[in-house]
Amino acid sequence: MFCRLVEDFTVSWRFRQLSHNTTQCTSTSAQLSLSALHWCIAASMLPVVVVHGGAGHIPNKRAEFSCAGVRAATRGGYAVLRGGGSAMDAVVEAVTLLENNPIYNAGCGSVLNEQGVEMDAIVMDGRTLASGAVSAVKGIANPVQLARLVMDKTSHLCLTADGASQFARAMGVQEVPEESLITDYARMRWRKNLDPDSNPVECQMGKMGTVGAVAVDLEGNVACATSTGGMLNKMEGRVGDTACIGCGGYADNRAGAVSPTGHGEAIMKVTLSRLILFYMEQGRSAQDAADEALVYMRERVQGLGGVVVVDPHGVWAARFSSRQMAWAAAQNEQLHYGLYAGEDFTQPIQDPDVPHTPSQEGR
């Protein structure tokens, strides 16, 4: 990535300068010059927003819709940042756009259980460690916005079920008919999973999971947001990783921000988001930290998933152990995106969105 190259160049240049003239570089003026250079390079990498549309397996006929959706959400979040908005504003905007897109398992595309749709969401502000979450909510078009209200308007971190609904009404959040959140695709998947000879794992395929975003704004503040409809045919009242701080998301200006996707129970067992930031605090890059944590989750609890990660300097990563994860990132007026491992397509952020044919793999 460009960010990784810039970062490596900066470290290498500083080391050579220090080795060349120790006396000069230990002076106050030299230290200030190096600090200024580092600040300028870091500032040139901001702002950044990275978005995912869920890890798993999606049929080729739906793949381009998923890729197009994360690109649109990334553009929306990046526009907020370029306009001077906060990282929190950007991730909420990006995830709201994903919740409004029926292709994803969040908001109006959520999967069904016996009681219909039950959704979870979380937000976290890396500047203050403030967080808000909701779980098992019904009749709310944008759970991520309700999660932000929990953060901004209460002293709690998470509200659930009827309590969350009562809070939404008190805040003037409009309730929507549940039918408006249920798609024909979700109904089809629900019915197929009820067949006596159905394969529960196969029935999860074709419906991408949790959606989320991370961002760092022009001031170097990070934030994350994650939203999901949960697991297909889950038990009533089931709460997965998304609403749990440290699992479904974490943001801390001292390390970075993470939004995961995948099998919620596995993510919870290893507290995936916080684990990645722990590795970053030990000096690993965003990409290496994500890879190491995903390997650990797979080996320790046989869980697959994916993450988007960003550090306060704008170095980002989109990594996954599942077959696919639709993702997109915006930085330096460039849009990056991919679906399969190793993909990193780019185009100017202002260019019209031209559909990209998915990789031959999986066709």
Side-chain angles (χ1 to χ4, degrees):
M1 293 179 201
F2 170 77
C3 299
R4 177 73 60 80
L5 293 174
V6 170
E7 186 179 63
D8 291 345
F9 171 80
T10 304
V11 173
S12 175
W13 183 88
R14 293 180 68 182
F15 179 77
R16 288 198 301 270
Q17 289 295 101
L18 286 168
S19 300
H20 178 70
N21 192 331
T22 303
T23 302
Q24 179 182 10
C25 288
T26 54
S27 68
T28 301
S29 60
Q31 290 176 3
L32 289 174
S33 297
L34 289 171
S35 297
L37 175 63
H38 185 268
W39 182 88
C40 288
I41 293 176
S44 71
M45 296 164 64
L46 305 181
V48 180
V49 60
V50 194
V51 170
H52 69 76
H57 171 209
I58 185 169
N60 186 62
K61 62 183 179 181
R62 292 174 64 86
E64 180 49 40
F65 294 107
S66 185
C67 291
V70 293
R71 291 195 297 266
T74 300
R75 285 190 173 93
Y78 193 66
V80 170
L81 294 170
R82 294 295 288 159
S86 69
M88 177 57 66
D89 293 335
V91 294
V92 170
E93 172 66 15
V95 173
T96 294
L97 291 170
L98 295 171
E99 289 176 336
N100 292 341
N101 188 330
I103 202 72
Y104 302 108
N105 178 18
C108 68
S110 295
V111 297
L112 302 177
N113 68 1
E114 292 180 354
Q115 300 302 314
V117 171
E118 292 184 337
M119 302 167 289
D120 306 335
I122 192 170
V123 299
M124 188 166 183
D125 187 336
R127 184 176 61 87
T128 62
L129 300 188
S131 181
V134 293
S135 66
V137 296
K138 303 177 181 180
I140 301 295
N142 297 114
V144 71
Q145 295 182 11
L146 184 58
R148 184 172 187 179
L149 285 172
V150 172
M151 179 183 73
D152 290 341
K153 303 296 184 180
T154 80
S155 59
H156 304 309
L157 290 185
C158 184
L159 296 178
T160 191
D162 291 341
S165 296
Q166 293 174 20
F167 173 70
R169 287 191 287 271
M171 290 292 100
V173 176
Q174 183 178 1
E175 295 181 82
V176 299
E178 186 172 55
E179 284 296 311
S180 69
L181 302 175
I182 301 175
T183 64
D184 291 340
Y185 190 78
R187 288 192 182 92
M188 180 273 289
R189 285 294 177 187
W190 162 257
R191 289 192 299 267
K192 188 172 182 179
N193 199 44
L194 293 178
D195 293 340
D197 59 347
S198 67
N199 182 330
V201 174
E202 182 180 341
C203 285
Q204 293 291 340
M205 296 164 62
K207 188 61 184 178
M208 299 300 269
T210 303
V211 303
V214 295
V216 54
D217 58 32
L218 290 167
E219 296 182 359
N221 297 313
V222 301
C224 69
T226 312
S227 180
T228 189
M231 292 178 64
L232 181 64
N233 294 69
K234 63 188 177 183
M235 294 177 63
E236 181 182 0
R238 178 263 187 184
V239 177
D241 66 292
T242 296
C244 300
I245 191 170
C247 301
Y250 204 85
D252 185 346
N253 275 12
R254 296 183 179 182
V258 180
S259 174
T261 172
H263 184 219
E265 279 70 9
I267 290 171
M268 294 169 79
K269 289 175 183 178
V270 301
T271 55
L272 183 62
S273 294
R274 193 63 188 87
L275 178 62
I276 290 171
L277 292 186
F278 170 77
Y279 288 149
M280 292 171 67
E281 289 167 348
Q282 305 309 304
R284 293 171 179 80
S285 67
Q287 178 173 310
D288 290 345
D291 287 344
E292 186 166 349
L294 289 169
V295 167
Y296 176 76
M297 184 171 75
R298 184 169 191 167
E299 292 178 347
R300 189 70 176 87
V301 296
Q302 296 74 55
L304 299 178
V307 294
V308 290
V309 186
V310 69
D311 75 15
H313 305 296
V315 179
W316 58 270
R319 309 296 289 177
F320 50 98
S321 56
S322 57
R323 183 178 182 182
Q324 297 156 294
M325 184 179 79
W327 64 270
Q331 182 179 48
N332 292 321
E333 305 302 319
Q334 291 290 310
L335 182 70
H336 301 253
Y337 61 96
L339 178 65
Y340 289 95
E343 292 183 341
D344 185 358
F345 303 107
T346 60
Q347 64 185 70
I349 192 74
Q350 295 179 343
D351 278 7
D353 194 23
V354 179
H356 177 83
T357 302
S359 299
Q360 292 293 328
E361 180 183 353
R363 285 194 168 195

